[in-house]
Amino acid sequence: MNLNVKQSVNAVKGIGEETAEALAEMNIFTIEDLLEHFPFRYEDYRLKDLAEVKHDERVTVEGKVHSEPSLVYYGRKRSRLTIRLLVGRYLIQVTFFNQPYLKSKIKMNETITVTGKWDQHRQTITASEAKLGSVVQTKDFEPVYAVRGSVTVKGIRRFINLAFSQYGDKVVETLPKQLLARYKLIDRNRALRTMHFPQSEEDLKQARRRFVYEEFLYFQLKMQALRKFERENSKGVAQNYDLPKLKDFINSLPFPLTNAQKRVVNETLADMKSPFRMNRLLQGDVGSGKTVVAAICLYASVTAGFQGALMVPTEILAEQHAESLKQLLEPFNISCELLTSSVKGKRRKEILERLQAGDIHVLIGTHALIQDEVEFNKLGLVITDEQHRFGVDQRRVLREKGENPDVLFMTATPIPRTLAITVFGEMDVSIIDEMPAGRKTIETYWAKQDMLDRVLGFMEKELTKGRQAYVICPLIEESDKLDVQNAIDVHAALSTFFQGRYQVGLMHGRLSSNEKDQVMKAFSQNEVQVLVSTTVVEVGVNVPNATMMVIYDAERFGLAQLHQLRGRVGRGSDQSYCILLADPKSEVGKERMKVMTETNDGFVLSEKDLELRGPGDFFGKKQSGLPEFKVADMVHDYRALETARNDAALLINSSEFWELPEYEALRNHLEKSGAFSHEKLD
Ligand code: ADP
Ligand code: MG
């Protein structure tokens, strides 16, 4: 056992009770915690040529003082000292904050060495340190730590040094030899030391690489263990579907399945046939053909003697799905019914009775499906579409209906693989990453807001051809805080503009669901030609005659969301267009608009979005399911994350992992992570 470094920090000579308490405030309890308290950056003391230093990078330079220091006080204790410094052929400015005592030390024409942050645009270094004379540095890098309370950076450097000198050789390797060898990772002891006291950048890179893999492997072992035990403990139903019938059904479709659809159908059917309960996420871009996959699985379930349910977030979607499923399934003697809150009275009663008797095979509906009064006869498969719109609780209620039905969550939000295997790590993930052949791509343009006249002219042309258009605004009504287009004003303006020629409708989240349905019906029946809306149209709506979308203030939306919105057009056989009205100020904003015009691939966009915005923003602040890593970065180290996931899955499912001594450290770690506690996940 690795007891030595599991002791409290005050076992280190030189760390007393008081220090231990202060460290505890920083969540450092054991010697190991202290050794794993990594620097968040390093002071780089290597002398550099300023020409090679990037903006905002930290740098150490040596130069000749070229002006008398000038000191300005503002506030009681705050001051700014500036000098001009000749560094090589650069004459730069150096600023020191709150170090007034330097004024008397820094002399004209003398050499000093300063360390700080380089502002390339202002040709200024904001210095944290100055040393007089030409300094021979004893080390190239010095660690800088996050500290709290009475603990100082210098203090913690000392504590870590003490811990290393007394306990450094007690650090035990946690990764098995074959993995270290396979990925050429350095051992734990050396990696730990290097994180704190790197000799070179390359050294540091190797140490980081080791810890990135280690962190991901720990995390993925937990997820894979959860997944395995969830699966094995979940008494599901083995659905022995009728393969010949299923093949007939697939052959009767008006089109061949894409390879991606075939793969996903196989993955899902394998789960359904197994005695374990399926817990699978199906991702597929808008239009990739998820509905057909759903139909095949529902049909399979019915041939195995079970009932199926499809749950969607809105009534309009429920109606659309019911219609397409009926078309596909009724010729095969499958009875499909729609159940929403607007199905009432005698009709509702009749549906509920037939459902209970098992006469209805497939039920399609909104959350009305999970009310208590809805009882199935033998529910085998539940599919939810656009699962991110459902709450966790609703999903659980649905899963508890019937005897552990298999569950398939479908979503059109292309979640980058990195995030999917993190957030949904304990679920199985299937991806439809291929579009049916012959799909026309939506032509996307980026226009400045002052080009609105031309955009409207273009829209008019489409309308003249008998087509329809969406106009999307970020807000419902005027806001004093934001200078952003709102749906109500735009609706008023466009109504005037198109008066006597075209009808303009208005849709937003504050309408009742009845009102929304009416607006949507009017649009889908072409009684309204232009629909001004907030993002409520984002999900699933299908009006193939709509060939144009204009999105106001497009820079305010995430790429994934813009792509979802854009997916409302391009659903018919005609060429469709999407125009992004945006005046982004930042480079990132411009980059995002450009990317939208360049690709129609939802996964490419979502990866890009993740890269540009980071994982926190990608899901919005509310999403807290993201784990925190000390060294690893989900975005930049995603390859390591995938590798670790595969390795973890292999390990968890191998007998060696559970038996051989070389995996003991990993097993202990897994046990500590809570993977075996019986708290319910959902
Ligand atoms: P999603 O729900 O994934 O957005 P749908 O299932 O609504 O996509 O499919 C979009 C359209 O593509 C539908 O009209 C559907 O009939 C058609 N479709 C689905 N699969 C194929 C395929 N393999 N080949 C050709 N068309 C397909
Ligand atoms: Mg769909």
Side-chain angles (χ1 to χ4, degrees):
M1 271 298 270
N2 184 15
L3 246 184
N4 281 296
V5 293
K6 307 277 184 206
Q7 302 178 80
S8 161
V9 280
N10 60 18
V12 176
K13 284 190 208 78
I15 296 183
E17 274 306 322
E18 217 171 295
T19 304
E21 269 168 42
L23 288 172
E25 290 293 302
M26 295 167 57
N27 285 325
I28 297 173
F29 304 100
T30 65
I31 298 170
E32 188 171 52
D33 292 341
L34 183 59
L35 296 179
E36 288 178 16
H37 185 72
F38 294 136
F40 69 92
R41 68 175 177 81
Y42 302 85
E43 204 65 89
D44 184 349
Y45 290 124
R46 294 171 303 169
L47 290 179
K48 277 191 194 153
D49 185 341
L50 278 173
E52 285 161 20
V53 182
K54 292 198 201 80
H55 180 64
D56 262 3
E57 234 175 42
R58 298 194 61 91
V59 63
T60 297
V61 295
E62 189 185 293
K64 202 157 137 198
V65 180
H66 213 71
S67 71
E68 291 295 345
S70 108
L71 178 64
V72 185
Y73 275 94
Y74 52 102
R76 237 204 272 155
K77 285 189 172 165
R78 311 214 288 165
S79 68
R80 184 176 61 226
L81 181 78
T82 49
I83 53 164
R84 321 262 315 146
L85 191 69
L86 188 65
V87 181
R89 53 205 157 77
Y90 282 83
L91 185 60
I92 65 165
Q93 176 169 298
V94 179
T95 308
F96 300 88
F97 286 100
N98 309 324
Q99 302 181 60
Y101 48 85
L102 287 174
K103 184 173 161 65
S104 59
K105 297 194 173 157
I106 295 177
K107 303 256 157 59
M108 262 301 255
N109 291 324
E110 288 190 355
T111 297
I112 63 169
T113 306
V114 299
T115 301
K117 194 158 140 188
W118 173 232
D119 182 328
Q120 192 176 38
H121 311 312
R122 297 206 171 82
Q123 301 271 296
T124 298
I125 290 177
T126 303
S128 50
E129 248 179 86
K131 289 180 180 146
L132 304 182
S134 175
V135 178
V136 181
Q137 300 288 347
T138 49
K139 46 182 166 297
D140 286 344
F141 303 98
E142 194 160 46
V144 183
Y145 298 92
V147 286
R148 218 184 307 151
S150 59
V151 182
T152 62
V153 175
K154 278 204 177 117
I156 200 150
R157 270 186 207 143
R158 196 163 61 82
F159 304 142
I160 288 172
N161 263 312
L162 287 170
F164 262 114
S165 62
Q166 295 166 42
Y167 290 90
D169 59 341
K170 302 291 190 293
V171 171
V172 169
E173 183 53 71
T174 50
L175 298 178
K177 279 204 189 66
Q178 28 97 318
L179 287 179
L180 289 175
R182 187 186 311 159
Y183 302 121
K184 299 194 170 62
L185 298 174
I186 61 175
D187 67 66
R188 193 161 212 279
N189 188 322
R190 186 170 144 212
L192 267 182
R193 273 177 204 276
T194 307
M195 288 300 286
H196 294 286
F197 318 113
Q199 300 295 316
S200 69
E201 264 173 308
E202 179 55 30
D203 248 18
L204 189 57
K205 211 172 110 194
Q206 293 306 328
R208 261 200 90 243
R209 205 164 70 81
R210 187 225 140 90
F211 282 113
V212 167
Y213 181 76
E214 181 188 291
E215 279 192 307
F216 281 156
L217 187 70
Y218 286 171
F219 172 71
Q220 289 293 352
L221 279 174
K222 176 179 174 181
M223 296 309 256
Q224 296 302 318
L226 281 171
R227 176 167 145 187
K228 182 177 158 81
F229 300 127
E230 260 273 303
R231 215 174 139 86
E232 290 175 359
N233 294 332
S234 69
K235 269 188 256 97
V237 284
Q239 305 196 46
N240 286 306
Y241 51 83
D242 186 327
L243 191 60
K245 274 193 182 173
L246 206 55
K247 282 191 172 156
D248 280 349
F249 176 66
I250 293 171
N251 289 332
S252 79
L253 293 172
F255 42 73
L257 294 182
T258 62
N259 287 328
Q261 282 171 319
K262 279 186 208 158
R263 190 184 64 235
V264 166
V265 164
N266 282 331
E267 288 166 353
T268 314
L269 289 179
D271 277 1
M272 288 171 61
K273 199 162 195 168
S274 85
F276 307 124
R277 195 177 58 189
M278 170 162 74
N279 187 20
R280 186 171 284 279
L281 178 74
L282 167 55
Q283 291 184 261
D285 210 341
V286 177
S288 63
K290 292 184 296 296
T291 312
V292 181
V293 172
I296 294 169
C297 296
L298 289 166
Y299 182 67
S301 191
V302 177
T303 66
F306 292 87
Q307 289 169 298
L310 176 67
M311 197 161 101
V312 298
T314 67
E315 300 221 342
I316 309 164
L317 265 179
E319 281 169 27
Q320 284 182 357
H321 271 105
E323 214 167 287
S324 35
L325 285 181
K326 275 182 187 175
Q327 250 177 38
L328 287 165
L329 293 171
E330 280 182 350
F332 289 80
N333 296 319
I334 307 289
S335 75
C336 304
E337 277 299 344
L338 172 72
L339 187 69
T340 61
S341 52
S342 37
V343 178
K344 293 195 176 97
K346 226 179 102 198
R347 172 126 185 84
R348 185 177 189 85
K349 197 160 161 265
E350 184 213 21
I351 290 181
L352 291 176
E353 280 168 10
R354 284 172 52 220
L355 187 70
Q356 205 172 4
D359 294 341
I360 292 172
H361 299 123
V362 174
L363 189 66
I364 299 118
T366 53
H367 57 274
L369 287 197
I370 55 174
Q371 283 158 8
D372 278 342
E373 50 161 1
V374 182
E375 264 180 56
F376 290 83
N377 182 281
K378 202 178 174 196
L379 183 60
L381 174 66
V382 175
I383 301 179
T384 73
D385 198 3
E386 310 295 353
Q387 59 102 17
H388 61 293
R389 294 279 159 141
F390 287 112
V392 168
D393 291 341
Q394 285 171 316
R395 273 167 22 210
R396 180 179 295 143
V397 176
L398 191 61
R399 256 167 45 167
E400 283 165 3
K401 290 221 160 245
E403 292 289 310
N404 297 319
D406 286 322
V407 184
L408 181 67
F409 300 103
M410 301 200 299
T411 176
T413 310
I415 303 161
R417 235 191 108 66
T418 333
L419 283 188
I421 67 178
T422 312
V423 183
F424 303 107
E426 88 294 359
M427 270 193 183
D428 296 293
V429 179
S430 288
I431 299 180
I432 307 186
D433 51 5
E434 180 187 356
M435 284 292 185
R439 196 56 59 81
K440 277 212 174 72
T441 59
I442 301 160
E443 282 180 28
T444 302
Y445 301 99
W446 165 26
K448 303 281 164 65
Q449 313 258 16
D450 60 14
M451 287 160 71
L452 184 61
D453 284 349
R454 282 176 59 193
V455 173
L456 288 180
F458 188 70
M459 186 185 297
E460 177 120 35
K461 258 207 217 138
E462 283 296 295
L463 296 174
T464 320
K465 284 193 245 162
R467 307 279 174 263
Q468 290 164 273
Y470 293 97
V471 177
I472 308 296
C473 306
L475 292 184
I476 299 177
E477 61 190 351
E478 200 176 339
S479 147
D480 3 309
K481 292 199 194 73
L482 297 168
D483 182 21
V484 166
Q485 289 299 336
N486 69 82
I488 290 172
D489 285 355
V490 170
H491 174 254
L494 292 185
S495 297
T496 312
F497 184 83
F498 288 120
Q499 193 160 32
R501 290 170 293 157
Y502 301 106
Q503 290 296 320
V504 183
L506 174 63
M507 169 91 153
H508 55 70
R510 242 181 267 154
L511 301 179
S512 70
S513 49
N514 213 343
E515 288 167 317
K516 274 189 232 163
D517 279 359
Q518 270 168 12
V519 176
M520 262 339 285
K521 265 203 189 103
F523 188 61
S524 66
Q525 287 163 7
N526 202 358
E527 286 157 17
V528 161
Q529 288 74 42
V530 179
L531 183 63
V532 178
S533 175
T534 58
T535 56
V536 291
V537 292
E538 186 185 333
V539 167
V541 172
N542 191 19
V543 180
N545 192 46
T547 54
M548 183 168 182
M549 173 171 283
V550 176
I551 305 177
Y552 275 92
D553 297 299
E555 76 270 23
R556 300 186 59 84
F557 300 101
L559 292 183
Q561 195 177 16
L562 285 173
H563 182 63
Q564 281 296 112
L565 286 166
R566 177 169 66 179
R568 297 311 104 211
V569 297
R571 302 178 80 84
S573 49
D574 299 296
Q575 180 58 53
S576 286
Y577 307 92
C578 175
I579 298 186
L580 308 168
L581 283 173
D583 297 303
K585 307 262 174 329
S586 68
E587 284 311 309
V588 169
K590 287 174 190 160
E591 173 78 17
R592 292 172 62 228
M593 292 306 108
K594 228 175 104 228
V595 175
M596 279 301 295
T597 64
E598 285 165 358
T599 180
N600 269 278
D601 184 328
F603 281 98
V604 171
L605 283 170
S606 72
E607 295 283 355
K608 194 77 193 173
D609 211 15
L610 180 62
E611 187 188 312
L612 292 173
R613 295 202 296 171
D617 279 356
F618 184 85
F619 274 124
K621 295 275 179 289
K622 268 180 273 162
Q623 197 85 16
S624 57
L626 297 173
E628 278 192 25
F629 298 108
K630 275 194 208 166
V631 180
D633 176 317
M634 279 194 294
V635 180
H636 292 106
D637 304 319
Y638 75 96
R639 282 210 179 82
L641 182 58
E642 293 207 2
T643 307
R645 177 183 154 99
N646 294 339
D647 292 342
L650 286 173
L651 285 175
I652 290 291
N653 290 302
S654 73
S655 55
E656 290 89 1
F657 177 76
W658 301 102
E659 287 156 17
L660 297 186
E662 58 178 304
Y663 297 105
E664 190 187 339
L666 284 182
R667 285 198 301 270
N668 288 337
H669 207 278
L670 182 58
E671 196 160 340
K672 263 198 348 214
S673 74
F676 306 119
S677 70
H678 291 283
E679 55 184 301
K680 259 236 167 279
L681 257 195
D682 202 316

